[in-house]
Structure formats: structure tokens, C-alpha cells
Amino acid sequence: MRYSRFFLPTVKEIPADAEVISHQLMLRAGMIRRLASGLYTHLPLGLRSLRKVESIIREEMDAAGALELLMPMVQPAELWQESGRWEKYGRELLRFTDRHDRPFCLGPTHEEVITDLVRREVRSYRDLPLVFYQIQTKFRDEIRPRFGLMRAREFLMKDAYSFDVDDEGLDRTYRAMYDAYCRIFERCGLDYRPVEADTGTIGGHASHEFMVLAETGEDSIACCTACSYASNVELAQVVSSPPPLVSPESREEARKVSTPGKRSIEEVSGFLGIPPDRIVKTLVFATDKGPVAALVRGDHEINEIKLGRFLGVEEIRLASDEEVRLAAKVSPGFVGPVGLSGVRIVADPAVLSMDGFTAGAGEEDYHIVGLVWGRDLPVPETADIRNITVHDPCPRCGGRIEIRRGIEVGHVFKLGTAYSEALGARFLDENGTEKPIIMGCYGIGVGRTLAAAIEQNHDANGIVFPRPIAPFDVIVCPLKTEDPAYIHAADDLLHALTRAGFQVLLDDRDLRPGVKFKDADLIGVPVRVTLGKLLADGIVEIRERRSGEVVMCPMVEVLERVSSLLVR
RNA sequence: CGGGACGUGGCUCAGUCUGGUAGAGCACAGCGUUCGGGACGCUGGGGUCGGAGGUUCGAAUCCUCUCGUCCCGACCA
């Protein structure tokens, strides 16, 4: 490809609207352009990389026995009504009607469509197992699209769905997909971790998220430093807290203290000179089973998902100020476990080992210090309802936990029979018994994977693409374009390298060397071949983008040198 | 949806407080000099100042409404 015949609008300045580095670089390198919030055009350069990620995914899915198909993006409402998600999915589902006023939506995912297909076509256990996948545009009307391709509204996704006769079959398929995902992300040059994930409201049996480790990630992951345990913080179990303290020697009387206007743990801690881990944080939640007060230590974070699951409620959210006043008869900030009647109280185990603690008094502008469980107030029921911290042990091996940020690029999920039962996708087993098909689903954000790869592979000058997803393998830069000798030599290189199977960009623009170098670095092509002053002696320069290492090389050896750089 | 900020040539922004002829740098076109890490000089083209309404002799600037964008939060199989 000749640069002059290509379309590559690079930008020197950092776009003002781009927050994260991958977004900035994709804009600067001329890979993407924004059309509207969360909507991006993939320019030729970006598309080349995107297609490479796609190809890697396709190869590994095919190798794992999955079959590619392509489903419509527009889906009829009735399918979603059948699965119950027309009501449940919320406003992320973009709904509209056609000219006949029939309701449709843009597909954010395809469980309904694929299950509909399978229920029509599959009758017998002989037809199973099956894994279908597609690489297709999805639309989710995100509340807040951000970070370019990282969280777009319209985005390219590989989604796969598996159909098995029993749980053992699902386990095998799940494992095969899991392994394929590992190969895919390795080939994309990513530093990633498969982590245990929340199974969400679908209530499946198992789920893993594939997280690319990056500071800009939107998720927190708890990783063990000793074993291979890694889990989404949302899910990570907090196994042990120190046992409840029994009868310490000196116990002061609990007493009420004035704390005017001090609502947050931080304010109360600072005002009373009591560390946060001696204060109990009381948060009121509104649920479909009424208000619930949750107690955690002041330095801990409550985990709504865990709380909701423990309570067995469908809906849970932090209560509004109004709801708090109604339930606790005091405004938020002064709610405490004392004298809280008619409200279910759930405490984190760590709270029970606190002795002589401070909490809201249940009275405007007052807290109580020196509280003792069993003496001043009854011992509440306990459950693991908080987020894991670096001070907690690994739930698997007891090792030290660290919290890291991650970008979720893939998700594998054992669905079970939720959709096959709702939509009636059944088969007859070898005994002639009718059973629901056991399903799994498996997603990869293609654009997000590309963005994550850039997030992990860049330097001050731009992108440093791993070869498998680089838009070109080699960029050839003749520094004098008015000199026929340079042009001919560059052309020869272009053809020789192309014939050898490399994808080559020839920078034939009549520009100063500095400009060409900057652009070459920015777009991240792994190898640059420069034709400069020594060309007359048959010598060119070969430079590796990642290391910056430069070797001078006779023309005849270029192919060999370039190959060795790209293959390793 | 709550809080905050911002919309001025293609891009990054100044000008807005204190109303008075729309600016700079980059980019773009032409000419010349340059030519191994985003060169320099001269010349030139390009903007209904997001939109609508209002105040005023006069609005990018003040007021009201509206649309859009970004950030924080809430939300998120």
C-alpha cells in the first residue's frame, strides 16, 4: 500500500475530548472518528487492525468447533417478551416500531434469537452439542458512553452460544471456549487474567471474565499474590474476619456525643478523633422486601450485589434521603443500629468483632461511642456483604490479595436452562424424555480488545502494535522522493516484502524525514525500513518499533532481517 | 437521572468578567529556501462565534430557553 493512495489522517495534537490513552492514540493515528456519542467510524487503518482481531477470534472459534452464522441486528419485541427481558432489560435496550407499528429493538445480545432458531431446528440429542457464533455489531444504549471504543454504544462483538444435553456437556464446551479465549488474548499480545465473575440476575452456575490489566480499567479485580485466584471484586468472597471479641477488660459506658452536621465516616472520624475502623457505617437500602439496614466497618465498602443475594431480593438500591427518614426516623448520616425498629439489620462479620465502637445515634446530630454488642444492643444477623480489601486473605489459599484494575474484554457464562425454558427449546434424549437444552454464552468485545491492546502497548511516541494485530507489518520510508534511485529501491522492497507475505506501507509522500518518522511511530507499525544516505552503498536502516533498536543492513539481507524481527 | 465544565475556521485554544471592526498557533493552497525525528519566510483561502428568542443604537460577550459534548456520581446479562 502506498501512503499517498491511502487515507491516513494523523493528528499532532491530543484531542480534547479523549480521556484515556487508547482513545487519544486511535484518534491521532487516524484509526477512528466519532460520529456521535458512543458511535464511531472505523477508518481504513483502524479497520485493518480490527479485522485482524476478528480473524484471530474466528480462527480460534473455528478451531474450537464453533460454527459461524450471522443474525439480524433488528429483533422483534415478541421474542424479548417471551424471555421476559422486554421488561427487565431497561433503557439500554433501544426500542422502536416499524411502519406497521410493530415493536422491535436493536440487538444488544442474541440469546433470544439464537434460542428461537435452535428450538425450531433441534429435536434430538443427536443434533447436540452445538456452538454457534457470530461477529456482529451490537447496540446498547449506554447511560454514559466513554473512552472511545472502550465503552461505545454501537460496537463490534463476537458472541457465541452453546447448546448441550447435560451439565457435563456444558462443562466441556465451557472449558473449550475458555481455552479458546486464552489463546485469542495471548495472540493479541495482551496481559490478561481470567477472573471469577458475577453471574448476575440470570443466576447461571459459573462465569469468568477475561480482564486485561490496565490502570484505566473500569473494573476492580482481586488477585492473589500467592495462588492463581483472581476474582471480580463484586464477587470475591471475604472468608474470615477476626472472631468476635469477648469481654475485654476495660469497658467504658456507651455515651451519646454531639456531632452536629457530621454525616460521613470521614467527618465523624475527624471530628471525634476516632479511626474509621472503630466506627460502624450504617446504610439503608430500599428493596422489594422493604427497607434493610446494612452495617459495615467504617473503612469497608458495602457490596450491594452480595447484600441483595443474601436477602434474596430482586431489586436493591441505596434508599433516598426521604426513604431513610421514613424507615429510620432520622436523616442519613445519623442512622445507627441502636433503636432501629421495624427494619431488618444485616451486619458484616467484621462488625461483630468491633468492641466499644461508634455509630449513628438514630437521633439528629448525635452519635454514640463505646457501644458493645450484647450489652447495648442485640447481636444482628451477619453475612458477607462487603467488598474484599487488600487486608483480607485470599479465599482460596489464604495468601495476600492485591486489587488491580482491569478492562473486561471477554465473558464466558454458563446459562443453564433459563432461556431454553422460557422459550421452550427442548430435545428428546436417548430415552425419549423431553428436556430443556443446557446453554452457555460467550462474548468478546472486538473493538474493546483492540483498545485494550493499545492501552497496554504504547509509548510516548504512539502505538506499539503487537505484530498479530498491527495494521501493517512493515513501513518503508524513502527519505528522498524526488530521487528515482530511492523510488526504485523502495518499490523493489515493497514488492519483495509483499511477495514474502508481509503487509507493507510505503511512505511515498514528499515530506521531511521527521514527519515520516513521527507518523510511522504513531501508527505503531512493528518494523520500519528507512532508505537514507547510505542507499547509494546499498545499505538501508531497519528499526524495530518496540525496542527502538536500529541495524544498518545491506539491501539483499532486508528480507531475512525483517522476517526474523517479525517472527519472534 | 443528579452534580460540574465546555461549545468561537478542519484541530488546539484566546477573546466573554468590563458589549463597540472576530483573533493566534497548527492544518490547508501557492512561491521560495530547506531536507535523518512533526523546518522557515512571504502570500492566500476559510468562521451566520452550537441553535432560537430577548435586552441594547450595537451582542461571541448580558438574560431566557434549547441542542450537543466531556468529566464525576448513580446505573449496568
Side-chain angles (χ1 to χ4, degrees), chain A residues 386-416:
Chain A
R386 67 176 171 91
N387 285 340
I388 196 167
T389 72
V390 292
H391 304 296
D392 294 304
C394 166
R396 187 178 295 162
C397 77
R400 195 170 60 80
I401 287 289
E402 56 180 19
I403 308 283
R404 306 191 59 173
R405 304 291 291 175
I407 300 163
E408 180 191 346
V409 291
H411 199 165
V412 293
F413 205 120
K414 290 186 186 175
L415 286 174

Side-chain angles (χ1 to χ4, degrees), chain A residues 467 473-474 497 500 502 526-527 529 542-544 547 549 551 553 557-568:
Chain A
R467 196 241 163 150
D473 300 316
V474 185
L497 288 164
F502 299 113
V527 173
V529 179
I542 296 176
R543 180 175 182 273
E544 188 181 31
S547 64
E549 275 169 28
V551 292
C553 171
E557 289 174 23
V558 169
L559 204 55
E560 197 182 319
R561 287 289 181 95
V562 169
S563 301
S564 74
L565 277 176
L566 287 173
V567 168
R568 92 156 109 109

Side-chain angles (χ1 to χ4, degrees), chain A residues 128 130 162-171 205 414-417 420 425 427 435-440:
Chain A
L128 299 172
L130 276 173
S162 69
F163 301 86
D164 279 279
V165 295
D166 53 24
D167 287 333
E168 291 70 49
L170 173 61
D171 288 346
H205 323 283
K414 290 186 186 175
L415 286 174
T417 56
S420 48
F427 70 100
K435 289 178 174 170
I437 304 178
I438 316 284
M439 291 176 58

Side-chain angles (χ1 to χ4, degrees), chain A residues 2 11 78 100 125 128 149 186 195 200 228 305 425-426 550 566:
Chain A
R2 286 166 200 279
V11 178
E78 53 191 43
H100 305 294
Y125 71 95
L128 299 172
L149 294 193
E186 261 152 40
V195 309
S228 65
I305 297 169
R426 291 179 286 266
V550 169
L566 287 173

Side-chain angles (χ1 to χ4, degrees), chain A residues 47-180:
Chain A
L47 188 61
R48 291 180 72 100
S49 279
L50 197 70
R51 291 284 187 241
K52 293 205 171 177
V53 177
E54 261 185 64
S55 301
I56 290 170
I57 293 172
R58 198 169 268 125
E59 283 170 29
E60 295 297 341
M61 292 307 289
D62 289 347
L67 303 168
E68 186 169 10
L69 49 57
L70 188 58
M71 293 180 268
M73 197 168 101
V74 173
Q75 306 180 11
E78 53 191 43
L79 270 184
W80 286 72
Q81 285 157 351
E82 231 181 306
S83 72
R85 290 209 291 185
W86 187 254
E87 283 74 33
K88 277 191 195 156
Y89 209 92
R91 304 226 296 155
E92 218 172 283
L93 184 66
L94 183 65
R95 301 150 213 253
F96 56 94
T97 54
D98 68 5
R99 62 164 70 193
H100 305 294
D101 272 339
R102 278 193 277 267
F104 286 86
C105 62
L106 280 187
T109 176
H110 282 70
E111 281 85 2
E112 280 81 359
V113 178
I114 194 77
T115 307
D116 176 67
L117 175 80
V118 168
R119 72 176 167 184
R120 291 167 191 276
E121 309 300 332
V122 173
R123 287 285 109 80
S124 160
Y125 71 95
R126 294 171 193 275
D127 300 325
L128 299 172
L130 276 173
V131 183
F132 292 115
Y133 77 98
Q134 62 175 347
I135 296 175
Q136 187 228 29
T137 298
K138 295 278 185 281
F139 190 92
R140 296 182 185 177
D141 201 354
E142 295 279 349
I143 296 172
R144 186 141 86 88
R146 59 184 141 176
F147 303 157
L149 294 193
M150 207 85 95
R151 182 174 286 270
R153 292 196 293 174
E154 186 177 308
F155 59 100
L156 196 63
M157 181 173 176
K158 187 285 300 176
D159 49 325
Y161 306 90
S162 69
F163 301 86
D164 279 279
V165 295
D166 53 24
D167 287 333
E168 291 70 49
L170 173 61
D171 288 346
R172 272 193 301 279
T173 305
Y174 187 83
R175 191 69 221 176
M177 288 295 123
Y178 184 103
D179 292 343

Side-chain angles (χ1 to χ4, degrees), chain A residues 340 394 505:
Chain A
L340 202 59
C394 166
L505 181 63

Side-chain angles (χ1 to χ4, degrees), chain A residues 218-334:
Chain A
E218 294 185 273
D219 293 283
S220 291
I221 320 162
C223 302
C224 179
T225 52
C227 74
S228 65
Y229 179 82
S231 171
N232 196 310
V233 164
E234 289 177 355
L235 185 75
Q237 212 186 341
V238 180
V239 282
S240 72
S241 294
L245 294 181
V246 217
S247 69
E249 303 72 37
S250 62
R251 281 181 163 180
E252 51 171 342
E253 292 258 308
R255 61 191 162 80
K256 202 158 74 175
V257 294
S258 169
T259 50
K262 308 298 179 196
R263 293 171 184 279
S264 68
I265 292 294
E266 202 177 306
E267 286 168 345
V268 174
S269 169
F271 183 71
L272 296 176
I274 295 173
D277 62 5
R278 304 278 317 273
I279 303 173
V280 164
K281 178 157 58 180
T282 308
L283 294 172
V284 181
F285 288 86
T287 77
D288 50 293
K289 292 184 180 171
V292 175
L295 272 44
V296 293
R297 224 167 69 184
D299 58 332
H300 285 156
E301 260 177 33
I302 199 138
N303 180 316
E304 272 186 41
I305 297 169
K306 287 183 178 179
L307 178 62
R309 194 171 299 152
F310 172 71
L311 296 168
V313 296
E314 294 257 317
E315 265 188 62
I316 182 162
R317 60 177 169 80
L318 209 51
S320 67
D321 290 8
E322 209 52 41
E323 288 165 329
V324 172
R325 269 187 283 274
L326 203 65
K329 287 136 201 113
V330 66
S331 61
F334 304 103

